[in-house]
Amino acid sequence: MREALGLDFSNPAGLDTALPFWGGSRINGPHGKTIAIGEQQEELIVADLDCSKVRQARFQLPTIRDSNFDLIHCDNERLNHRIGVPRGMRST
């Protein structure tokens, strides 16, 4: 799923040093609808996402659809040279 990714929310469950965690992890579809939700205990939740629907939803967002990718690339390069990138993170 290189071009598409659903939104997931992971939350601890149970007690940790007397602090209660409510669980409730969830996976949301491309338009924000919850398609899987965890209970109040530790568990693995799984859901199927239609990659074509995720890509379509992403393109409908003005932040993606109207992005100036040349400008984003230039700004990323500027920041890489200014503050650096952790070792192993740069692909070239």
Side-chain angles (χ1 to χ4, degrees):
M1 288 199 339
R2 181 172 52 88
E3 296 93 14
L5 180 64
L7 174 66
D8 62 306
F9 165 73
S10 175
N11 197 37
L15 288 175
D16 182 21
T17 62
L19 295 173
F21 292 97
W22 64 274
S25 298
R26 63 186 62 218
I27 300 172
N28 294 333
H31 294 286
K33 179 182 175 188
T34 299
I35 55 177
I37 189 164
E39 300 294 329
Q40 293 184 348
Q41 71 273 354
E42 287 186 30
E43 68 177 313
L44 174 67
I45 58 173
V46 179
D48 291 322
L49 295 173
D50 183 334
C51 292
S52 64
K53 289 183 180 178
V54 174
R55 274 189 234 98
Q56 181 182 20
R58 283 181 145 193
F59 188 75
Q60 291 170 345
L61 292 171
T63 53
I64 301 295
R65 183 191 64 228
D66 301 336
S67 293
N68 181 335
F69 293 108
D70 290 333
L71 177 63
I72 292 169
H73 176 73
C74 288
D75 202 36
N76 283 340
E77 286 299 311
R78 178 185 64 81
L79 289 172
N80 286 344
H81 292 295
R82 181 175 175 200
I83 61 176
V85 177
R87 175 170 283 175
M89 297 297 290
R90 186 173 287 191
S91 61
T92 57

Coordinates of all heavy atoms in Angstrom, one line a residue:
M1 N 0.8 -1.2 0.0 CA 0.0 0.0 0.0 C 0.9 1.2 0.0 O 0.8 2.1 0.9 CB -0.9 0.0 1.2 CG -2.0 -1.0 1.1 SD -3.5 -0.8 2.1 CE -3.0 0.1 3.4
R2 N 1.7 1.4 -1.0 CA 2.6 2.5 -1.1 C 1.8 3.8 -1.2 O 2.2 4.8 -0.6 CB 3.5 2.3 -2.3 CG 4.5 3.4 -2.4 CD 5.5 3.0 -3.5 NE 4.9 2.6 -4.8 CZ 4.6 3.5 -5.7 NH1 4.8 4.8 -5.6 NH2 4.1 3.0 -6.9
E3 N 0.8 3.9 -2.0 CA 0.1 5.1 -2.2 C -1.1 5.4 -1.3 O -1.6 6.5 -1.3 CB -0.5 5.2 -3.7 CG 0.5 5.2 -4.8 CD 0.7 3.8 -5.3 OE1 0.0 2.8 -4.9 OE2 1.7 3.6 -6.0
A4 N -1.5 4.4 -0.5 CA -2.7 4.6 0.3 C -2.4 4.0 1.7 O -1.7 3.1 1.9 CB -3.8 3.8 -0.3
L5 N -3.0 4.7 2.7 CA -2.9 4.3 4.0 C -4.2 4.7 4.8 O -4.6 5.9 4.7 CB -1.7 4.9 4.7 CG -1.4 4.5 6.1 CD1 -1.2 3.0 6.3 CD2 -0.2 5.2 6.7
G6 N -4.8 3.8 5.5 CA -5.9 4.2 6.3 C -5.5 4.8 7.6 O -4.3 4.8 7.9
L7 N -6.3 5.4 8.4 CA -6.0 6.0 9.6 C -6.3 5.0 10.8 O -7.4 4.5 10.9 CB -6.8 7.3 9.8 CG -6.6 8.0 11.2 CD1 -5.2 8.5 11.3 CD2 -7.6 9.1 11.3
D8 N -5.3 4.8 11.5 CA -5.5 3.9 12.7 C -5.1 4.7 14.0 O -4.3 5.6 13.9 CB -4.7 2.6 12.6 CG -3.2 2.8 12.5 OD1 -2.8 3.6 11.7 OD2 -2.5 2.2 13.4
F9 N -5.7 4.3 15.1 CA -5.5 4.9 16.3 C -5.3 3.8 17.3 O -6.1 3.0 17.6 CB -6.7 5.7 16.7 CG -6.8 6.2 18.1 CD1 -5.9 7.2 18.6 CD2 -7.7 5.6 19.0 CE1 -6.0 7.6 19.9 CE2 -7.8 6.0 20.3 CZ -6.9 7.0 20.8
S10 N -4.1 3.8 17.9 CA -3.7 2.7 18.9 C -3.7 3.3 20.3 O -3.1 4.4 20.5 CB -2.4 2.2 18.5 OG -2.0 1.3 19.5
N11 N -4.4 2.7 21.2 CA -4.5 3.2 22.6 C -4.2 2.0 23.5 O -4.7 0.9 23.4 CB -5.8 3.8 22.8 CG -5.9 4.7 24.0 OD1 -4.9 5.4 24.3 ND2 -6.9 4.6 24.8
P12 N -3.4 2.2 24.6 CA -3.1 1.2 25.6 C -4.4 0.7 26.3 O -5.4 1.5 26.3 CB -2.2 1.8 26.5 CG -1.6 3.0 25.9 CD -2.7 3.5 24.9
A13 N -4.4 -0.5 26.8 CA -5.5 -1.0 27.5 C -5.0 -1.6 28.8 O -3.9 -2.2 28.8 CB -6.3 -2.0 26.7
G14 N -5.8 -1.6 29.9 CA -5.4 -2.2 31.1 C -4.8 -1.2 32.1 O -5.0 0.0 32.0
L15 N -4.1 -1.8 33.1 CA -3.5 -0.9 34.1 C -2.0 -0.9 33.9 O -1.4 -1.9 33.6 CB -3.8 -1.5 35.5 CG -5.2 -1.3 36.1 CD1 -5.3 -2.0 37.4 CD2 -5.5 0.1 36.2
D16 N -1.4 0.3 34.1 CA 0.1 0.4 34.1 C 0.4 1.3 35.3 O 0.1 2.5 35.3 CB 0.5 1.0 32.8 CG 2.0 1.1 32.7 OD1 2.7 0.4 33.4 OD2 2.5 2.0 31.9
T17 N 1.1 0.8 36.2 CA 1.5 1.5 37.5 C 0.3 2.2 38.0 O 0.3 3.4 38.3 CB 2.6 2.5 37.2 OG1 2.2 3.5 36.3 CG2 3.9 1.8 36.8
A18 N -0.8 1.5 38.2 CA -2.1 2.0 38.8 C -2.8 3.0 37.9 O -3.8 3.6 38.4 CB -1.9 2.5 40.2
L19 N -2.4 3.3 36.7 CA -3.1 4.2 35.8 C -4.0 3.3 34.9 O -3.4 2.5 34.2 CB -2.1 5.0 35.0 CG -1.3 6.0 35.8 CD1 -0.3 6.7 34.9 CD2 -2.2 7.1 36.4
P20 N -5.3 3.6 34.8 CA -6.1 2.8 33.9 C -6.0 3.4 32.5 O -6.0 4.6 32.3 CB -7.5 3.0 34.5 CG -7.4 4.3 35.2 CD -6.0 4.4 35.7
F21 N -6.0 2.5 31.5 CA -6.0 2.9 30.1 C -7.3 2.2 29.5 O -7.5 1.0 29.7 CB -4.8 2.4 29.4 CG -3.6 3.2 29.8 CD1 -2.7 2.7 30.8 CD2 -3.3 4.5 29.3 CE1 -1.6 3.4 31.2 CE2 -2.2 5.2 29.7 CZ -1.3 4.6 30.6
W22 N -8.1 2.9 28.8 CA -9.4 2.5 28.4 C -9.4 1.7 27.1 O -10.4 1.1 26.7 CB -10.3 3.7 28.2 CG -10.0 4.6 27.2 CD1 -9.1 5.7 27.3 CD2 -10.4 4.7 25.8 NE1 -9.0 6.4 26.1 CE2 -9.8 5.8 25.2 CE3 -11.2 3.9 25.1 CZ2 -10.0 6.1 23.9 CZ3 -11.4 4.2 23.7 CH2 -10.8 5.3 23.1
G23 N -8.3 1.5 26.4 CA -8.3 0.8 25.1 C -9.0 1.5 24.0 O -8.8 2.7 23.9
G24 N -9.9 0.9 23.3 CA -10.7 1.5 22.3 C -9.9 1.9 21.0 O -10.3 2.8 20.3
S25 N -8.8 1.1 20.7 CA -8.1 1.4 19.5 C -9.1 1.3 18.3 O -10.1 0.6 18.4 CB -7.0 0.4 19.3 OG -6.0 0.5 20.4
R26 N -8.8 1.9 17.2 CA -9.7 1.9 16.1 C -9.0 2.1 14.7 O -7.9 2.6 14.7 CB -10.8 2.9 16.2 CG -10.3 4.4 16.2 CD -11.4 5.3 16.5 NE -12.0 5.1 17.8 CZ -13.3 5.2 18.1 NH1 -14.1 5.5 17.3 NH2 -13.6 4.9 19.4
I27 N -9.6 1.6 13.7 CA -9.2 1.8 12.3 C -10.3 2.5 11.6 O -11.5 2.1 11.6 CB -8.9 0.4 11.6 CG1 -7.8 -0.3 12.4 CG2 -8.5 0.7 10.2 CD1 -7.6 -1.7 11.9
N28 N -9.9 3.6 11.0 CA -10.9 4.4 10.2 C -10.7 4.3 8.7 O -9.6 4.2 8.3 CB -10.8 5.9 10.6 CG -11.2 6.2 12.0 OD1 -12.0 5.4 12.6 ND2 -10.7 7.2 12.6
G29 N -11.8 4.3 8.0 CA -11.7 4.2 6.5 C -11.3 5.6 5.9 O -11.0 6.5 6.6
P30 N -11.3 5.7 4.6 CA -10.8 6.8 3.9 C -11.6 8.1 4.2 O -11.0 9.2 4.0 CB -10.8 6.5 2.5 CG -11.7 5.3 2.3 CD -11.7 4.6 3.7
H31 N -12.8 8.0 4.6 CA -13.6 9.2 4.9 C -13.9 9.4 6.4 O -14.7 10.2 6.8 CB -14.9 9.2 4.1 CG -14.8 9.2 2.6 ND1 -14.4 10.4 2.0 CD2 -14.8 8.3 1.7 CE1 -14.3 10.2 0.7 NE2 -14.5 8.9 0.5
G32 N -13.1 8.7 7.2 CA -13.2 8.9 8.6 C -14.1 8.0 9.3 O -14.2 8.0 10.6
K33 N -14.9 7.2 8.6 CA -15.8 6.3 9.3 C -15.1 5.1 10.0 O -14.2 4.5 9.4 CB -16.8 5.7 8.2 CG -17.8 4.7 8.8 CD -18.7 4.1 7.7 CE -19.6 3.1 8.3 NZ -20.3 2.4 7.3
T34 N -15.4 4.9 11.2 CA -14.8 3.8 12.0 C -15.2 2.5 11.4 O -16.4 2.2 11.3 CB -15.1 3.9 13.5 OG1 -14.7 5.1 14.0 CG2 -14.5 2.8 14.2
I35 N -14.2 1.6 11.0 CA -14.6 0.3 10.4 C -14.2 -0.8 11.3 O -14.6 -2.0 11.1 CB -14.0 0.2 9.0 CG1 -12.5 0.4 9.0 CG2 -14.7 1.1 8.0 CD1 -11.8 0.2 7.6
A36 N -13.3 -0.5 12.3 CA -13.0 -1.6 13.3 C -12.7 -0.8 14.6 O -12.0 0.2 14.6 CB -11.8 -2.4 12.9
I37 N -13.1 -1.4 15.7 CA -12.8 -0.7 17.0 C -12.5 -1.8 18.1 O -13.2 -2.9 18.1 CB -14.0 0.2 17.5 CG1 -13.6 1.0 18.7 CG2 -15.3 -0.6 17.7 CD1 -14.6 2.1 19.0
G38 N -11.5 -1.5 18.9 CA -11.1 -2.5 19.9 C -12.0 -2.3 21.2 O -12.6 -1.3 21.4
E39 N -11.9 -3.3 22.0 CA -12.6 -3.3 23.3 C -11.7 -2.7 24.3 O -10.7 -2.0 24.0 CB -13.0 -4.7 23.7 CG -13.9 -5.4 22.7 CD -15.3 -4.7 22.6 OE1 -15.7 -4.2 23.6 OE2 -15.9 -4.8 21.5
Q40 N -12.0 -2.9 25.6 CA -11.3 -2.3 26.7 C -10.2 -3.2 27.3 O -9.8 -3.0 28.4 CB -12.3 -1.9 27.8 CG -13.2 -0.7 27.4 CD -14.0 -0.2 28.5 OE1 -14.2 -0.8 29.5 NE2 -14.7 0.9 28.3
Q41 N -9.8 -4.2 26.5 CA -8.7 -5.1 26.9 C -7.7 -5.2 25.7 O -8.1 -4.7 24.6 CB -9.2 -6.5 27.3 CG -9.7 -7.3 26.2 CD -11.1 -7.1 25.9 OE1 -11.8 -6.4 26.6 NE2 -11.6 -7.8 24.8
E42 N -6.6 -5.8 25.9 CA -5.6 -5.9 24.9 C -6.2 -6.8 23.8 O -6.7 -7.9 24.1 CB -4.3 -6.5 25.4 CG -3.5 -5.6 26.2 CD -2.1 -6.2 26.6 OE1 -1.6 -7.0 25.8 OE2 -1.6 -5.8 27.6
E43 N -6.0 -6.4 22.5 CA -6.5 -7.2 21.4 C -5.9 -6.7 20.1 O -5.5 -5.5 20.1 CB -8.0 -7.3 21.3 CG -8.7 -6.0 21.0 CD -10.2 -6.2 20.8 OE1 -10.6 -7.2 20.2 OE2 -10.9 -5.4 21.4
L44 N -5.9 -7.5 19.1 CA -5.5 -7.1 17.8 C -6.8 -6.9 16.9 O -7.6 -7.7 16.9 CB -4.7 -8.2 17.1 CG -4.3 -8.0 15.7 CD1 -3.3 -6.8 15.6 CD2 -3.6 -9.2 15.1
I45 N -6.9 -5.7 16.3 CA -8.0 -5.4 15.5 C -7.5 -5.3 14.0 O -6.4 -4.8 13.8 CB -8.8 -4.2 15.8 CG1 -7.9 -2.9 15.9 CG2 -9.5 -4.3 17.2 CD1 -8.7 -1.6 16.1
V46 N -8.2 -5.9 13.1 CA -7.8 -5.9 11.7 C -9.0 -5.5 10.9 O -10.2 -5.7 11.2 CB -7.5 -7.4 11.3 CG1 -7.1 -7.5 9.9 CG2 -6.3 -7.9 12.2
A47 N -8.7 -4.8 9.7 CA -9.8 -4.4 8.8 C -9.2 -4.4 7.4 O -8.0 -4.2 7.2 CB -10.3 -3.0 9.2
D48 N -10.1 -4.6 6.4 CA -9.8 -4.5 5.0 C -10.0 -3.1 4.5 O -11.1 -2.5 4.8 CB -10.6 -5.5 4.2 CG -10.2 -6.9 4.5 OD1 -9.0 -7.2 4.7 OD2 -11.1 -7.8 4.5
L49 N -9.1 -2.5 3.8 CA -9.2 -1.2 3.2 C -9.2 -1.4 1.7 O -8.2 -2.1 1.2 CB -8.2 -0.2 3.7 CG -8.2 0.1 5.1 CD1 -7.0 1.0 5.5 CD2 -9.5 0.9 5.5
D50 N -10.0 -0.7 1.0 CA -10.0 -0.7 -0.5 C -9.0 0.4 -0.9 O -9.3 1.6 -0.8 CB -11.4 -0.5 -1.0 CG -11.4 -0.5 -2.6 OD1 -10.4 -0.2 -3.2 OD2 -12.5 -0.8 -3.1
C51 N -7.9 0.0 -1.4 CA -6.8 1.0 -1.7 C -7.3 2.0 -2.8 O -6.9 3.2 -2.7 CB -5.6 0.3 -2.2 SG -4.7 -0.6 -1.0
S52 N -8.1 1.6 -3.7 CA -8.6 2.5 -4.7 C -9.5 3.6 -4.1 O -9.4 4.8 -4.5 CB -9.3 1.8 -5.9 OG -10.5 1.2 -5.4
K53 N -10.3 3.2 -3.1 CA -11.1 4.2 -2.4 C -10.3 5.2 -1.6 O -10.6 6.3 -1.4 CB -12.2 3.5 -1.6 CG -13.3 2.8 -2.4 CD -14.3 2.2 -1.5 CE -15.4 1.6 -2.4 NZ -16.4 0.9 -1.6
V54 N -9.2 4.6 -1.0 CA -8.3 5.5 -0.2 C -7.7 6.5 -1.1 O -7.6 7.7 -0.8 CB -7.3 4.6 0.6 CG1 -6.3 5.5 1.3 CG2 -8.0 3.7 1.6
R55 N -7.1 6.0 -2.2 CA -6.5 7.0 -3.2 C -7.5 8.0 -3.6 O -7.1 9.2 -3.7 CB -5.9 6.2 -4.4 CG -4.5 5.7 -4.1 CD -4.0 5.1 -5.4 NE -3.5 3.7 -5.2 CZ -4.2 2.6 -5.5 NH1 -5.4 2.7 -6.1 NH2 -3.8 1.5 -5.2
Q56 N -8.7 7.6 -4.0 CA -9.7 8.6 -4.4 C -10.0 9.6 -3.3 O -10.1 10.8 -3.6 CB -11.0 7.8 -4.8 CG -12.1 8.7 -5.3 CD -13.3 7.9 -5.6 OE1 -13.5 6.8 -5.2 NE2 -14.2 8.5 -6.5
A57 N -10.2 9.1 -2.1 CA -10.5 10.1 -1.0 C -9.3 11.0 -0.8 O -9.5 12.2 -0.5 CB -10.7 9.3 0.3
R58 N -8.1 10.5 -0.9 CA -6.9 11.4 -0.7 C -6.9 12.5 -1.8 O -6.6 13.7 -1.5 CB -5.6 10.6 -0.8 CG -5.3 9.8 0.4 CD -4.0 9.1 0.2 NE -3.3 9.1 1.5 CZ -2.1 8.7 1.6 NH1 -1.3 8.4 0.6 NH2 -1.5 8.7 2.8
F59 N -7.2 12.2 -3.0 CA -7.2 13.1 -4.1 C -8.3 14.2 -3.9 O -8.2 15.3 -4.3 CB -7.3 12.5 -5.4 CG -7.1 13.5 -6.6 CD1 -5.9 13.9 -6.9 CD2 -8.2 13.9 -7.3 CE1 -5.7 14.8 -7.9 CE2 -8.0 14.9 -8.3 CZ -6.8 15.3 -8.6
Q60 N -9.4 13.8 -3.2 CA -10.5 14.7 -3.0 C -10.1 15.8 -1.9 O -10.8 16.8 -1.8 CB -11.8 14.0 -2.6 CG -12.3 13.2 -3.7 CD -13.4 12.2 -3.2 OE1 -13.6 12.0 -2.0 NE2 -14.2 11.7 -4.2
L61 N -9.1 15.5 -1.1 CA -8.6 16.5 -0.2 C -7.9 17.6 -0.8 O -6.9 17.3 -1.6 CB -7.7 15.8 0.9 CG -8.4 14.8 1.8 CD1 -7.3 14.1 2.6 CD2 -9.3 15.5 2.7
P62 N -8.2 18.9 -0.6 CA -7.5 19.9 -1.3 C -6.0 20.0 -0.9 O -5.2 20.4 -1.7 CB -8.2 21.2 -0.8 CG -9.4 20.8 -0.1 CD -9.3 19.3 0.2
T63 N -5.7 19.5 0.3 CA -4.3 19.5 0.7 C -3.4 18.6 -0.1 O -2.2 18.8 -0.3 CB -4.1 19.1 2.2 OG1 -4.8 17.9 2.4 CG2 -4.7 20.2 3.1
I64 N -4.0 17.6 -0.7 CA -3.3 16.6 -1.5 C -3.5 17.1 -3.0 O -2.5 17.2 -3.7 CB -3.8 15.2 -1.4 CG1 -3.6 14.7 0.1 CG2 -3.1 14.2 -2.3 CD1 -2.2 14.6 0.6
R65 N -4.7 17.3 -3.4 CA -5.1 17.6 -4.8 C -4.4 18.8 -5.3 O -3.8 18.9 -6.4 CB -6.6 17.7 -4.9 CG -7.1 18.0 -6.3 CD -8.5 18.4 -6.4 NE -8.7 19.6 -5.7 CZ -9.6 19.8 -4.8 NH1 -10.5 18.9 -4.4 NH2 -9.7 21.0 -4.2
D66 N -4.3 19.9 -4.5 CA -3.8 21.2 -4.9 C -2.3 21.4 -4.5 O -1.9 22.5 -4.6 CB -4.7 22.3 -4.4 CG -6.1 22.2 -4.8 OD1 -6.3 21.5 -5.9 OD2 -7.0 22.7 -4.2
S67 N -1.7 20.4 -4.0 CA -0.3 20.5 -3.5 C 0.6 20.9 -4.6 O 0.5 20.3 -5.8 CB 0.2 19.3 -2.8 OG -0.6 19.0 -1.6
N68 N 1.6 21.7 -4.3 CA 2.7 22.0 -5.3 C 3.9 21.2 -4.9 O 4.7 21.5 -4.0 CB 3.0 23.5 -5.2 CG 4.1 23.9 -6.1 OD1 4.9 23.1 -6.5 ND2 4.1 25.2 -6.4
F69 N 4.0 20.0 -5.5 CA 5.0 19.0 -5.2 C 6.4 19.5 -5.4 O 7.3 19.1 -4.7 CB 4.7 17.7 -5.8 CG 3.4 17.0 -5.4 CD1 2.3 17.0 -6.2 CD2 3.3 16.5 -4.1 CE1 1.1 16.4 -5.7 CE2 2.2 16.0 -3.6 CZ 1.1 15.9 -4.5
D70 N 6.6 20.3 -6.4 CA 7.9 20.9 -6.6 C 8.3 21.8 -5.4 O 9.5 21.7 -5.0 CB 8.0 21.7 -7.9 CG 7.9 20.8 -9.1 OD1 8.3 19.7 -9.0 OD2 7.4 21.3 -10.2
L71 N 7.4 22.6 -4.9 CA 7.7 23.4 -3.8 C 7.9 22.6 -2.5 O 8.9 22.9 -1.8 CB 6.5 24.4 -3.5 CG 6.6 25.3 -2.3 CD1 7.8 26.2 -2.5 CD2 5.3 26.1 -2.1
I72 N 7.1 21.6 -2.3 CA 7.3 20.7 -1.2 C 8.7 20.0 -1.2 O 9.4 19.9 -0.2 CB 6.2 19.6 -1.1 CG1 4.9 20.3 -0.8 CG2 6.5 18.5 -0.1 CD1 3.7 19.4 -1.0
H73 N 9.1 19.5 -2.4 CA 10.4 18.9 -2.6 C 11.5 19.9 -2.3 O 12.5 19.5 -1.5 CB 10.5 18.4 -4.0 CG 11.9 17.8 -4.3 ND1 12.3 16.6 -3.7 CD2 12.9 18.2 -5.0 CE1 13.5 16.3 -4.1 NE2 13.9 17.3 -4.9
C74 N 11.4 21.1 -2.8 CA 12.5 22.1 -2.5 C 12.6 22.5 -1.0 O 13.6 22.6 -0.5 CB 12.2 23.4 -3.3 SG 12.5 23.2 -5.1
D75 N 11.4 22.6 -0.4 CA 11.4 22.9 1.0 C 12.0 21.8 1.9 O 12.7 22.0 2.8 CB 10.0 23.3 1.5 CG 10.0 24.1 2.8 OD1 10.9 24.9 2.9 OD2 9.1 23.9 3.6
N76 N 11.6 20.5 1.5 CA 12.2 19.4 2.2 C 13.7 19.3 2.0 O 14.4 19.0 3.0 CB 11.6 18.1 1.7 CG 10.2 17.8 2.2 OD1 9.8 18.4 3.2 ND2 9.5 17.0 1.5
E77 N 14.2 19.6 0.8 CA 15.7 19.6 0.6 C 16.3 20.7 1.4 O 17.4 20.5 2.0 CB 16.0 19.8 -0.9 CG 15.7 18.6 -1.7 CD 16.6 17.4 -1.3 OE1 17.8 17.5 -1.1 OE2 16.0 16.3 -1.1
R78 N 15.7 21.9 1.5 CA 16.2 23.0 2.3 C 16.3 22.6 3.8 O 17.3 22.8 4.4 CB 15.3 24.2 2.1 CG 15.8 25.4 3.0 CD 14.7 26.6 2.9 NE 13.5 26.2 3.5 CZ 13.2 26.2 4.8 NH1 14.1 26.6 5.6 NH2 12.0 25.9 5.2
L79 N 15.3 22.0 4.3 CA 15.3 21.5 5.7 C 16.3 20.4 5.9 O 17.0 20.4 6.9 CB 13.9 21.1 6.1 CG 12.9 22.2 6.2 CD1 11.5 21.6 6.5 CD2 13.2 23.2 7.3
N80 N 16.4 19.5 5.0 CA 17.4 18.4 5.1 C 18.8 19.0 5.2 O 19.6 18.5 6.0 CB 17.4 17.5 3.9 CG 16.1 16.6 3.9 OD1 15.5 16.4 4.9 ND2 15.8 16.0 2.8
H81 N 19.1 20.0 4.4 CA 20.5 20.6 4.5 C 20.6 21.5 5.7 O 21.7 21.6 6.2 CB 20.7 21.4 3.2 CG 20.9 20.5 2.0 ND1 21.9 19.6 1.8 CD2 20.1 20.4 0.9 CE1 21.7 18.9 0.7 NE2 20.6 19.4 0.1
R82 N 19.5 22.1 6.2 CA 19.6 23.0 7.3 C 19.7 22.3 8.6 O 20.6 22.6 9.5 CB 18.4 23.9 7.3 CG 18.5 24.9 8.4 CD 17.3 25.9 8.3 NE 17.3 26.8 9.5 CZ 16.3 27.5 9.9 NH1 15.2 27.4 9.2 NH2 16.3 28.2 10.9
I83 N 18.9 21.3 8.9 CA 18.8 20.6 10.2 C 19.3 19.2 10.1 O 19.5 18.5 11.1 CB 17.4 20.7 10.8 CG1 16.4 20.0 9.9 CG2 17.0 22.1 11.1 CD1 15.0 19.9 10.6
G84 N 19.5 18.7 8.9 CA 19.9 17.3 8.7 C 18.8 16.3 8.8 O 17.7 16.6 9.2
V85 N 19.2 15.1 8.5 CA 18.3 13.9 8.5 C 19.0 12.8 9.3 O 20.2 12.6 9.1 CB 18.0 13.4 7.1 CG1 17.1 12.2 7.1 CG2 17.4 14.6 6.3
P86 N 18.3 12.2 10.2 CA 19.0 11.1 11.0 C 19.5 10.0 10.1 O 19.0 9.7 9.0 CB 17.8 10.5 11.8 CG 16.8 11.6 11.9 CD 16.9 12.3 10.6
R87 N 20.7 9.5 10.5 CA 21.3 8.4 9.7 C 20.4 7.3 9.4 O 19.6 6.8 10.2 CB 22.5 7.9 10.5 CG 23.2 6.7 9.8 CD 24.5 6.4 10.4 NE 25.4 7.4 10.0 CZ 26.7 7.5 10.4 NH1 27.1 6.7 11.3 NH2 27.5 8.4 10.0
G88 N 20.4 6.8 8.1 CA 19.5 5.7 7.7 C 18.2 6.2 7.2 O 17.4 5.4 6.7
M89 N 17.8 7.4 7.3 CA 16.6 7.9 6.9 C 16.6 8.4 5.4 O 15.6 8.4 4.8 CB 16.1 9.1 7.8 CG 15.8 8.6 9.2 SD 14.5 7.4 9.4 CE 13.1 8.3 9.0
R90 N 17.7 8.9 5.0 CA 17.8 9.4 3.6 C 18.0 8.3 2.6 O 18.8 7.4 2.8 CB 19.0 10.4 3.5 CG 19.0 11.1 2.2 CD 20.0 12.2 2.2 NE 19.5 13.3 3.0 CZ 20.1 14.4 3.0 NH1 21.1 14.7 2.3 NH2 19.6 15.4 3.7
S91 N 17.2 8.3 1.6 CA 17.3 7.1 0.6 C 18.4 7.3 -0.4 O 18.8 6.4 -1.1 CB 16.0 7.0 -0.1 OG 15.6 8.1 -0.8
T92 N 18.9 8.5 -0.6 CA 20.0 8.7 -1.6 C 21.3 9.2 -1.0 O 21.3 9.6 0.1 CB 19.6 9.8 -2.6 OG1 19.3 11.0 -2.0 CG2 18.4 9.3 -3.4

